[in-house]
């Protein structure tokens, strides 16, 4: 870590020296207002200029630029985010932040938690970009705000909804390679004090074979995918400062996969709805009560025509009070989470479990001249694993209107998932909860034409849970198991920057350098690159908008012993859009222009080294036409 910090200080010194001579003089003339408001960093509305954590905001413009792609394609372009899939469109999209697992991440949609209770992961592949208006990514531990699972961070997705009382209609349709077709339509409107809207999205593709060079005849086919999703909302302001809101999400996706039998498929269904009551009790005291229900169901037909059905239901209640003080906001909250899971396999009940978690949270966000602070403390009581106390403390100092230094510490924990505890022939009921401590620091510059941020982090995870081969399992396991692998240390650095090169030209990019290793063996965690990043060049002129992206990652390993390697890769993508008129937009996107043959995951192992890799898409194009009656 000393070496990483040394490199950071050298780089920060270089940038500081580079801009001191010219930039500080310019600051006295004009500094742009690039301020944004986020809620994920502290559970309250907060300016990004005072956030001490590492947060990224993805706006609707960036989302629209990837029309026809997936949410995994979008998240892959963000600093510190790694993704991999087990095949083409519709297969499992695994998302990790700063070298952590995909189940060490909390995902919220309009405040509703949608992580599966059985796997702890989220079916990102079934959340279409067409439904999303904005995404906030909080990297780093957040258990002191959100509870179990937030070791790597939090991703909060905000679906589309009207921003005014005017009626708003929009729709789009597109087609592309691999016989892919999509369509979506929606509306927003208002009637007196009531605002409401809804949208639907559909996607269908014949896809690609899930595996490269499949050995069985039954696997030598294209594995298709289809998805139908929708959202709806209603907000009623029944008195000034008092409102009642309802939001709903439903998504159903079905994808085929390779096996020794033809016609195998996995069908995943997820549903989330929440009711939110907001009350401005006084000028300085706001209350919010939210009750939500999240459901997910997974039904698969596999080898020898066996089938399995997994259902998870989560009930969530949150009661939060925010008090505005002269120099900040004080927050008190009570959270309750109830989880139930039912698993069946070919008509046989294999798992029926439930648990609950109660928590109390206190937080503070403050601003004192050039100083900003953030404090949080949370006490969780889990019905299975007892009490956990987590905390976070952050501090920021603005050297000038453009320069900001922040540092933050946070602790976190994750209770094992139902699958890790009880899955047939795999679950280990003796697992301990994961615990982690993270410290980080960042240096940010926000100037007239250049914005840059460098962040270093060091995350220590204890009782890390991973899948182990039979040889590393307790007696009685025949096909592997979940085990506590001991201590993990993830050290790293992210660098992100954007620059206005010249009139109409913009350059942005990010680089992550990390070392996620098991202390006992010094091996890297599986499917983690030590270096990855993105570079985006964009040109805008009148009705034309063109951009190209370069995405690259270094070598990774597919096994815990680091003997099955996955080669590094670089991909080139581009988007060209033309605003036909005020309402119509035509857009074309090409992915993997150089037709790179690369691998994100494999079925190879030390026992079966000749097994096939999971497939990835070659050069592909998607063209869309959208209408927006603003």
């Amino acid at each position: 870590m000393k070496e990483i910090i040394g490199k950071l200080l050298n780089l920060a010194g270089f940038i500081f020296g580079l801009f001191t001579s010219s930039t500080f003089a310019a600051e006295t003339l004009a500094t742009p207002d690039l301020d944004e408001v986020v809620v994920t960093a502290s559970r309250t509305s907060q300016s990004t200029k005072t956030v001490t954590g590492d947060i990224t905001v993805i706006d609707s413009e960036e989302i629209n630029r990837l029309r026809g792609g997936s949410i995994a394609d979008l998240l892959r372009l963000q600093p510190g985010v790694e993704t991999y899939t087990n095949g083409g469109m519709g297969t499992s999209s695994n998302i990790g932040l700063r070298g952590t697992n995909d189940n060490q991440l909390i995902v919220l949609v309009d405040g509703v938690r949608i992580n599966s209770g059985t796997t702890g992961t989220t079916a990102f592949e079934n959340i279409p970009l067409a439904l999303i208006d904005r995404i906030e990514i909080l990297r780093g531990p957040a258990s002191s705000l959100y509870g179990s699972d937030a070791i790597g961070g939090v991703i909060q997705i905000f679906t589309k909804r009207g921003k005014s009382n005017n009626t708003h209609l929009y729709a789009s349709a597109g087609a592309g390679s691999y016989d892919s077709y999509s369509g979506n339509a929606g509306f927003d409107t208002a009637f007196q004090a009531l605002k409401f809207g809804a949208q639907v999205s559909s996607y269908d593709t014949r896809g690609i074979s899930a595996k490269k060079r499949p050995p069985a005849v039954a696997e030598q086919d294209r594995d298709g995918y289809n998805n139908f999703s929708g959202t709806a909302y209603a907000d009623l302001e029944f008195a000034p400062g008092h409102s009642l809101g309802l939001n709903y999400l439903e998504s159903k996706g079905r994808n085929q996969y390779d096996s020794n039998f033809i016609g195998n498929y996995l069908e995943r269904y997820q549903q989330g709805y929440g009711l939110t009551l907001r009350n401005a009790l006084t000028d300085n005291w706001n209350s919010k009560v939210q009750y939500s229900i999240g459901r997910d169901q997974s039904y698969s037909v596999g080898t020898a025509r066996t089938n399995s059905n997994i259902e998870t239901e989560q009930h969530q209640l949150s009661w939060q009070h925010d008090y505005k003080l002269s120099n900040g906001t004080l927050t008190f909250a009570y959270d309750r989470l109830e989880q139930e899971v039912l698993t069946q396999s070919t008509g046989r009940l294999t798992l029926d479990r439930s648990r609950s978690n109660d928590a109390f949270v206190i937080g503070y966000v403050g601003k004192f001249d050039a100083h900003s602070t953030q404090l949080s403390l949370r006490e969780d009581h889990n019905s299975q694993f007892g009490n956990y106390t987590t905390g976070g403390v952050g501090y920021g100092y603005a050297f000038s209107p453009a320069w900001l230094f922040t540092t933050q510490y946070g602790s976190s924990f994750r209770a094992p998932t139902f699958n890790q505890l009880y899955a047939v022939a795999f679950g280990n009921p003796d697992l301990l909860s994961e615990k982690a401590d993270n410290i980080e620091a960042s240096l940010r510059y926000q100037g007239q034409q250049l914005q840059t941020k460098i962040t270093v982090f060091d995350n220590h995870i204890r009782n890390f849970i991973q899948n182990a081969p039979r040889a590393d399992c307790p007696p009685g396991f025949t096909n592997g198991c979940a085990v506590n692998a001991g201590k993990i240390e993830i050290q790293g650095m992210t660098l992100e920057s954007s620059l206005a090169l010249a009139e109409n030209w913009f350059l942005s990019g990010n680089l992550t350098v990390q070392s996620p290793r098991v202390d006992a063996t010094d091996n890297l965690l599986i499917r983690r690159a030590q270096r990855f990043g993105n570079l985006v060049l964009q040109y805008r002129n009148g009705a034309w908008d063109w951009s190209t992206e370069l995405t690259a990652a270094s070598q990774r390993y597919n096994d815990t012993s680091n003997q099955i390697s996955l080669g590094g890769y670089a991909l080139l993508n581009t988007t060209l859009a033309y605003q036909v008129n005020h309402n119509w937009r035509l857009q074309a996107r090409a992915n993997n222009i150089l037709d790179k043959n690369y691998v994100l995951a494999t079925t190879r192992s030390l026992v079966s080294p000749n097994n096939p890799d999971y497939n990835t898409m070659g050069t592909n194009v998607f063209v869309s036409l959208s209408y927006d009656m603003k």
Side-chain angles (χ1 to χ4, degrees):
M1 188 62 190
K2 291 181 180 179
E3 181 181 353
I4 294 177
I5 294 176
K7 291 180 179 179
L8 170 67
L9 293 176
N10 291 336
L11 184 56
F14 169 74
I15 295 178
F16 185 84
L18 180 64
F19 295 112
T20 298
S21 59
S22 58
T23 309
F24 276 116
E27 289 167 9
T28 59
L29 298 177
T31 300
D33 184 10
L34 301 177
D35 194 13
E36 291 186 270
V37 175
V38 295
V39 296
T40 309
S42 61
R43 293 182 51 153
T44 62
S45 297
Q46 181 184 5
S47 165
T48 53
K49 291 183 177 180
T50 63
V51 171
T52 60
D54 186 10
I55 195 164
T56 293
V57 178
I58 307 175
D59 60 19
S60 58
E61 180 181 326
E62 187 172 358
I63 294 171
N64 289 334
R65 190 164 55 84
L66 271 76
R67 191 183 300 273
S70 67
I71 193 171
D73 297 327
L74 175 68
L75 295 175
R76 187 183 297 124
L77 296 175
Q78 312 309 316
V81 181
E82 288 182 277
T83 69
Y84 68 87
T85 58
N86 295 335
M89 292 292 290
T91 56
S92 297
S93 297
N94 302 274
I95 310 294
L97 299 182
R98 288 185 178 175
T100 57
N101 282 341
D102 52 352
N103 57 16
Q104 296 172 324
L105 164 71
I106 289 179
V107 180
L108 306 171
V109 175
D110 295 326
V112 178
R113 185 179 179 129
I114 62 170
N115 298 64
S116 169
T118 51
T119 65
T121 62
T122 300
F124 283 102
E125 62 275 8
N126 288 337
I127 306 176
L129 287 179
L131 302 182
I132 302 173
D133 179 66
R134 172 186 173 96
I135 300 176
E136 294 179 4
I137 304 174
L138 177 63
R139 289 173 289 272
S143 287
S144 60
L145 292 169
Y146 296 97
S148 177
D149 303 341
I151 289 179
V154 177
I155 295 179
Q156 181 153 204
I157 298 169
F158 300 89
T159 58
K160 291 182 178 179
R161 59 181 56 206
K163 298 178 175 61
S164 69
N165 291 328
N166 298 326
T167 298
H168 178 206
L169 302 174
Y170 53 92
S172 71
S177 304
Y178 307 115
D179 299 312
S180 301
Y181 303 93
S182 76
N184 77 283
F187 77 94
D188 302 293
T189 191
F191 176 73
Q192 296 181 355
L194 176 66
K195 294 182 180 179
F196 59 97
Q199 59 176 328
V200 293
S201 173
S202 176
Y203 182 87
D204 186 87
T205 179
R206 283 191 62 198
I208 59 177
S209 175
K211 296 177 182 176
K212 296 176 182 284
R213 303 181 303 277
V217 174
E219 295 180 341
Q220 296 173 8
D221 64 338
R222 293 169 67 175
D223 297 302
Y225 167 69
N226 61 74
N227 173 276
F228 185 81
S229 304
T231 65
Y233 75 93
D235 291 308
L236 174 65
E237 187 176 19
F238 52 85
H242 301 268
S243 65
L244 182 65
L246 174 68
N247 58 277
Y248 179 80
L249 165 71
E250 182 171 333
S251 178
K252 185 175 184 179
R254 175 170 172 165
N255 71 280
Q256 298 170 327
Y257 61 90
D258 283 330
S259 183
N260 293 327
F261 291 80
I262 297 176
N264 297 342
Y265 66 87
L266 172 66
E267 196 168 81
R268 296 194 66 172
Y269 170 80
Q270 56 188 350
Q271 181 186 65
Y273 47 94
L275 188 66
T276 304
L277 175 65
R278 301 176 187 271
N279 301 100
L281 302 178
T282 69
D283 291 341
N284 299 314
W285 177 13
N286 292 305
S287 170
K288 182 179 76 172
V289 181
Q290 183 178 57
Y291 177 74
S292 59
I293 299 176
R295 295 190 178 97
D296 70 90
Q297 181 177 11
S298 175
Y299 178 80
S300 64
V301 175
T303 303
R305 316 314 298 162
T306 59
N307 63 75
S308 66
N309 183 66
I310 303 172
E311 299 180 41
T312 302
E313 184 166 292
Q314 302 186 86
H315 293 249
Q316 306 163 64
L317 173 66
S318 177
W319 189 13
Q320 180 170 320
H321 295 267
D322 298 320
Y323 299 88
K324 294 182 181 179
L325 306 176
S326 58
N327 290 304
T329 300
L330 186 64
T331 297
F332 297 93
Y334 165 74
D335 295 337
R336 179 173 175 83
L337 174 65
E338 299 175 353
Q339 295 178 309
E340 300 178 53
V341 60
L342 176 68
T343 301
Q344 294 176 296
S345 180
T346 317
R348 178 171 60 91
L349 181 66
T350 58
L351 179 62
D352 183 6
R353 296 278 182 169
S354 64
R355 66 185 179 195
S356 62
N357 193 96
D358 293 279
F360 293 92
V361 185
I362 181 171
Y364 173 74
V365 174
K367 182 77 167 66
F368 305 88
D369 298 324
H371 307 271
S372 55
T373 59
Q374 181 170 336
L375 305 171
S376 55
L377 182 67
R378 180 180 174 115
E379 177 74 16
D380 283 89
H381 176 74
N382 187 284
S383 61
Q384 277 188 303
F385 295 95
N387 293 342
Y388 296 91
T389 302
T390 52
V393 54
Y395 169 75
Y397 178 70
F399 298 101
S400 75
W403 285 93
L404 176 66
F405 169 79
T406 64
T407 184
Q408 182 159 294
Y409 163 81
S411 58
S412 55
F413 79 100
R414 186 180 77 86
T417 66
F418 287 112
N419 274 6
Q420 291 172 333
L421 290 168
Y422 308 117
V424 175
F426 174 80
N428 182 358
D430 296 326
L431 289 174
L432 302 175
S433 294
E434 296 175 335
K435 298 181 180 180
D437 294 280
N438 177 86
I439 187 168
E440 62 189 71
S442 70
L443 182 65
R444 314 177 196 174
Y445 171 77
Q446 184 172 283
Q448 186 73 31
Q449 295 179 300
L450 174 69
Q451 294 83 47
T452 298
K453 181 168 74 171
I454 307 170
T455 303
V456 291
F457 55 89
D458 192 350
N459 197 359
H460 291 255
I461 306 174
R462 305 179 298 282
N463 303 327
F464 184 81
I465 301 173
Q466 68 179 19
N467 299 341
R470 181 179 60 181
D472 297 333
C473 293
F477 289 92
T478 57
N479 297 311
C481 65
V483 298
N484 290 112
K487 296 181 180 179
I488 303 292
E489 184 172 13
I490 306 177
Q491 302 174 337
M493 176 183 89
T494 58
L495 170 64
E496 51 187 298
S497 186
S498 62
L499 173 66
L501 294 173
E503 185 178 2
N504 303 326
W505 288 92
F506 305 89
L507 179 67
S508 61
N510 59 77
L511 171 67
T512 300
V513 180
Q514 62 181 15
S515 179
R517 295 183 180 274
V518 181
D519 279 7
T521 63
D522 201 38
N523 289 336
L524 290 168
L525 297 180
I526 63 171
R527 299 175 182 172
R528 308 299 205 282
Q530 291 185 275
R531 298 173 303 279
F532 60 92
N534 305 276
L535 196 62
V536 179
L537 178 64
Q538 188 171 16
Y539 173 77
R540 301 174 188 165
N541 189 359
W544 292 96
D545 190 338
W546 169 83
S547 65
T548 188
E549 309 147 9
L550 177 64
T551 299
S554 64
Q555 175 183 273
R556 291 137 292 127
Y557 294 98
N558 200 69
D559 64 320
T560 57
S561 61
N562 287 185
Q563 297 185 58
I564 306 296
S565 64
L566 306 173
Y569 64 91
L571 305 177
L572 188 65
N573 311 317
T574 191
T575 300
L576 179 64
Y578 178 70
Q579 193 71 37
V580 179
N581 57 35
H582 182 70
N583 302 116
W584 292 92
R585 178 183 175 92
L586 180 65
Q587 181 170 304
R589 179 170 174 83
N591 297 304
N592 195 5
I593 295 173
L594 303 180
D595 202 26
K596 175 69 175 179
N597 183 12
Y598 65 105
V599 176
L600 296 176
T602 184
T603 64
R604 286 183 283 133
S605 67
L606 296 177
V607 177
S608 304
N610 296 319
N611 279 2
D613 299 322
Y614 284 109
N615 210 355
T616 51
M617 291 190 289
T619 302
N620 60 93
V621 177
F622 194 87
V623 179
S624 63
L625 179 65
S626 58
Y627 172 82
D628 194 335
M629 191 197 78
K630 301 176 181 178

